[in-house]
Amino acid sequence: MASTADIKNGVVLNIDGQLWTIIEFQHVKPGKGGAFVRTKMKNVVTGKTVDKTFNAGAKIETENVDRRDFQYLYADGESYVFMDVTDYDQLHVPAAVVGDAINFMLENQAVTLGLHNGNPLFIELPASVVLLITHTDPGLQGDRSTGGTKPATVETGYEIQVPLFLETGTKVKVDTRTGDYLGRVND
């Protein structure tokens, strides 16, 4: 057992059998009344974010979540296969754990997996990835200066919005958190 003094960003708490990671915290000592800790927590499994306040000195239960580097290998039916880069063990991760991350993962891509007692809980991708546009409609003449966007399909099959001047075969940088176009990549 730990106390509220041990709360820091990234610490994983076990609250009512569910794992929550601390996103933000603030120790508050008002002039009147007891001190408390205000936190913003994210459910490790579902991704739901909640605010929770703990009284100062309250006992909390922390959990160990091991973050290790893996390499994405391939999709295998209802799961995805990752390889531990340190000991080359392969791990099958269910599609529910991978979630939307599959929209930005190519084979042999490095990712970080969060493991609790050997069970995969979440996947952390790099902040941005470079993907190839496999299909987009050509921009119309005169549309280049308007700053508009058009849909484009990238090599993972995900559809993003890109500027009108981009064509099929262009490599683009994509934000893995929002799916937004960040810029063109020149080789």
Side-chain angles (χ1 to χ4, degrees), residues 18 23 64 93 102 114 117 130 138 140 162 174:
Q18 293 188 343
I23 299 171
N64 273 344
V93 179
I102 195 61
N117 296 334
V130 175
L140 300 172
V162 298
V174 180

Side-chain angles (χ1 to χ4, degrees), residues 10 29 54 57 62 86 154-155:
K29 185 168 180 169
F54 298 96
T62 60
T86 55
V154 293
E155 58 191 310

Side-chain angles (χ1 to χ4, degrees), residues 55-81:
N55 290 329
K59 297 293 182 199
I60 55 174
E61 189 176 343
T62 60
E63 292 286 340
N64 273 344
V65 174
D66 188 19
R67 286 179 168 86
R68 296 202 322 229
D69 292 330
F70 279 78
Q71 183 179 16
Y72 171 60
L73 297 179
Y74 58 91
D76 182 25
E78 292 294 316
S79 65
Y80 298 91
V81 181

Side-chain angles (χ1 to χ4, degrees), residues 15 20 22 27 34 40 65 67-68 91 98 116 118 127 134-136 138 156 161-162 164 166-167 169 173 179 183:
I15 300 174
W20 298 83
I22 302 294
H27 288 278
K40 181 181 251 184
V65 174
R67 286 179 168 86
R68 296 202 322 229
L91 180 67
V98 175
H116 178 260
T134 57
H135 174 76
T136 187
T156 61
Q161 293 292 319
V162 298
L164 295 170
L166 290 179
E167 300 172 352
K173 188 181 252 187

Side-chain angles (χ1 to χ4, degrees), residues 128-133 165-166 169-174 181-187:
S128 63
V129 292
V130 175
L131 298 171
L132 181 74
I133 294 177
F165 62 85
L166 290 179
T170 305
K171 287 188 176 182
V172 293
K173 188 181 252 187
V174 180
Y181 163 82
L182 296 175
R184 183 170 37 177
V185 176
N186 297 325
D187 287 329

Side-chain angles (χ1 to χ4, degrees), residues 66 68-76 78-85 87-95 97-98 105 111-123:
D66 188 19
R68 296 202 322 229
D69 292 330
F70 279 78
Q71 183 179 16
Y72 171 60
L73 297 179
Y74 58 91
D76 182 25
E78 292 294 316
S79 65
Y80 298 91
V81 181
F82 293 84
M83 178 183 68
D84 191 331
V85 296
D87 59 11
Y88 306 111
D89 283 343
Q90 291 187 6
L91 180 67
H92 290 263
V93 179
V97 174
V98 175
M105 288 189 329
V111 300
T112 301
L113 271 174
L115 302 171
H116 178 260
N117 296 334
N119 296 322
L121 296 175
F122 59 87
I123 291 181

Side-chain angles (χ1 to χ4, degrees), residues 8-46:
K8 297 178 188 63
N9 288 346
V11 169
V12 178
L13 305 178
N14 185 342
I15 300 174
D16 298 330
Q18 293 188 343
L19 299 179
W20 298 83
T21 184
I22 302 294
I23 299 171
E24 296 175 14
F25 73 99
Q26 179 182 18
H27 288 278
V28 179
K29 185 168 180 169
K32 186 176 184 182
F36 58 91
V37 180
R38 187 177 294 136
T39 63
K40 181 181 251 184
M41 303 184 308
K42 180 179 178 184
N43 189 306
V44 173
V45 178
T46 64

